[in-house]
Amino acid sequence: MTVATPTKTQYEAVIGLETHCQLSTESKIFSASSTAFGADPNQNIDPICAGLPGVLPVLNQKVLEYAVKVGLALNCEIAPYSKFDRKQYFYPDLPKNYQISQYDLPIAQNGWLEVELLDEEGNITRKRIGITRAHMEEDAGKLVHAGSDRLSGSTYSLVDLNRAGIALLEIVSEPDLRSGQEAAEYARELRRIVRYLGASDGNMQEGSLRCDVNVSVRPVGQAEFGTKVEIKNMNSFNAIQRAIEFEIERQVAAIETGETILQETRLWEENSQRTISMRTKEGSSDYRYFPEPDLTPIEVSPEQLKQWESELPELPAAKRKRYEEELGLSAYDTQVLTDDRDVAEYLEATIAAGADAKQAANWVMGDVTAYLKESKLDIGAIALKPAILAELIDLIENKTISGKIAKEILPELLEKGGSPKKLVESKGMTQISDTGAIESAIDEILAANPDKVEQFRSGKTKLQGFFMGQVMKKTQGRADPKLTNQILAKKLQG
Amino acid sequence: MSIDREQVKKVAFLARLELTETEEEEFTGQLSSILDYFEQLSELDTENVAPTTRAIDVSNITRADIVESYRDRDAILNSAPDREGDFFKVPKIGQEED
């Protein structure tokens, strides 16, 4: 992103993201306690995650599987030999005074993902964002500051270790991002990928996806980076975008007025829509990493890697490409339809059951999505199964019913399912495509409205809509609209 | 001497240990002699030896993702210096750091 300034210096922002993603395992990364969200404080604790002496952590197999699968989905190299390390720091939410993480031999490195940026006119820009690394680590607990809702006013703190030891995958991007929009889109794509894999629910409100952002600005053309500032505490994609945009403006303004940018951590304040200084980093932190002696190294065999690779689903970027190229859908429709894997698979099942792709896409994005929002159901839970939707679309295509009738019977199909064909038959709603029947209906209408016929013939052609409406009313909407229009036009000409 | 007093002070600070001047003096000597002892290892030629982090050649020890609730969470809570209800209670946190 470039920012124009009065002194004509053009700036660009350099942005990288560190994303912590909670993996969807049942138990913790090194112990058997539950990872269920929302339990009472300290319900899901055990001697290992509470950091008692003499315990032995053992890696959860599922954590390794998810980490490798996410790594593969991010086009990373998977380390043939990987290990865990201790990262030492002191904070009350970290019971051992060190976090088990991965330092110099992370499970995945050197990957990329592709973001698709859509402007208001529907034009697409695609950009590859480098992934530096992804590594496994344990989450810390949660602090509640008693005596005040602010840290500064509290007299003591309360610690809940339910979250301590939940498996995280930290995914670090290259500083390839240049705007708040790009960063937000990167985070969205990352969430799509982990959700497609079932590796994480990616819920930002519950903290299963947390993004820390590094932002610096520099004059365009300057090779070295400016001083980077870390921003935290964004709990939506929009907040990521807005926090970065605010921070870019703040830094450019500071440089313009001759201030020095401090290397620090700032918090995004949702209420005031700004970032505030949290603390100044004293040099780079000295975490004194050393290899975790309680955990064995990890060697992913080529056979295992192949097996996991074969289990990867078609990923969002590949789906988007296929929908555009094979199904002929627009970039916008494609983005909407592939955002959620279940929705995409529903659409694909509908098409596989014989429905026209564009028709199916329209129904899924329109009425079906509206119903999902209203009923708060997942697409897999609704009674309107893909085969039923395909049958409904087919009834319209072969002119058994009109689109209007289809919309009329849709609520019942959404609620109860069943065969659309039988439903329209039992209700006598099949489309009238018999020319004779339509002609006689039109004749009756024309005979009943001689004055309007006269007006039409003397130039008031807008009245065709009135006649059309009358025919539809007479046939309870069952007359084939196209055929009716043709015959009506002919008869009105006289 | 392979470690000086300033380094001992830094390590103590990072480990959140408060040392008296006498202790600083004492540990500087002790740590130095320990480091010197390990220094003997550098006499060996390890140029063609891959770094290792462990003495036992074993890898990939993992467990299945199965939940098993710990039976005595109360004992864990009670083992802390202070608790309040279901929480561990800790002193007021000063300057944030991690």
Side-chain angles (χ1 to χ4, degrees), chain A residues 339-363:
Chain A
D339 190 54
D340 182 308
R341 181 179 167 185
D342 291 338
V343 171
E345 287 179 353
Y346 182 96
L347 173 74
E348 288 170 26
T350 307
I351 295 166
D356 170 73
K358 276 186 187 157
Q359 292 298 324
N362 288 340
W363 280 96

Side-chain angles (χ1 to χ4, degrees), chain A residues 413-479:
Chain A
L413 293 169
L414 283 163
E415 294 282 345
K416 297 182 195 152
S419 162
K421 199 167 179 207
K422 284 191 184 136
L423 189 63
V424 291
E425 275 166 7
S426 73
K427 292 197 170 186
M429 287 171 135
T430 48
Q431 184 156 272
I432 303 167
S433 310
D434 174 53
T435 315
I438 292 173
E439 277 188 343
S440 70
I442 292 173
D443 287 343
E444 276 181 53
I445 300 292
L446 297 190
N449 298 282
D451 50 333
K452 294 231 166 54
V453 175
E454 198 50 46
Q455 286 172 24
F456 179 91
R457 288 179 180 158
S458 51
K460 208 169 172 192
T461 51
K462 273 187 189 163
L463 278 169
Q464 180 152 347
F466 162 79
F467 291 112
M468 189 70 190
Q470 292 297 308
V471 176
M472 283 301 171
K473 201 170 164 191
K474 194 171 176 57
T475 59
Q476 289 100 42
R478 291 166 56 209

Side-chain angles (χ1 to χ4, degrees), chain A residues 26-28 31-32 42 59-61 90-91 155-157 159 279 286 288 293 295-299, chain B residues 10 14 54 58-63 65 67-68 70 73 84 86 88-90 92-93 96-98:
Chain A
E26 300 290 324
S27 65
K28 295 188 174 183
S31 65
N42 291 307
L59 179 63
N60 183 335
Q61 171 71 16
F90 293 86
Y91 209 63
T155 50
Y156 59 92
S157 298
V159 186
R279 61 198 177 207
D286 192 343
R288 292 160 298 139
L295 288 158
T296 61
I298 301 140
E299 291 179 273
Chain B
K10 189 188 173 199
L14 289 172
R54 48 186 46 255
V58 59
S59 58
N60 297 350
I61 308 283
T62 56
R63 41 171 270 275
D65 181 25
V67 172
E68 204 180 313
Y70 184 65
R73 63 179 278 276
E84 184 174 291
D86 282 336
F88 296 99
K89 190 175 172 183
V90 297
K92 173 183 169 162
I93 298 155
E96 284 232 59
E97 57 192 350
D98 72 4

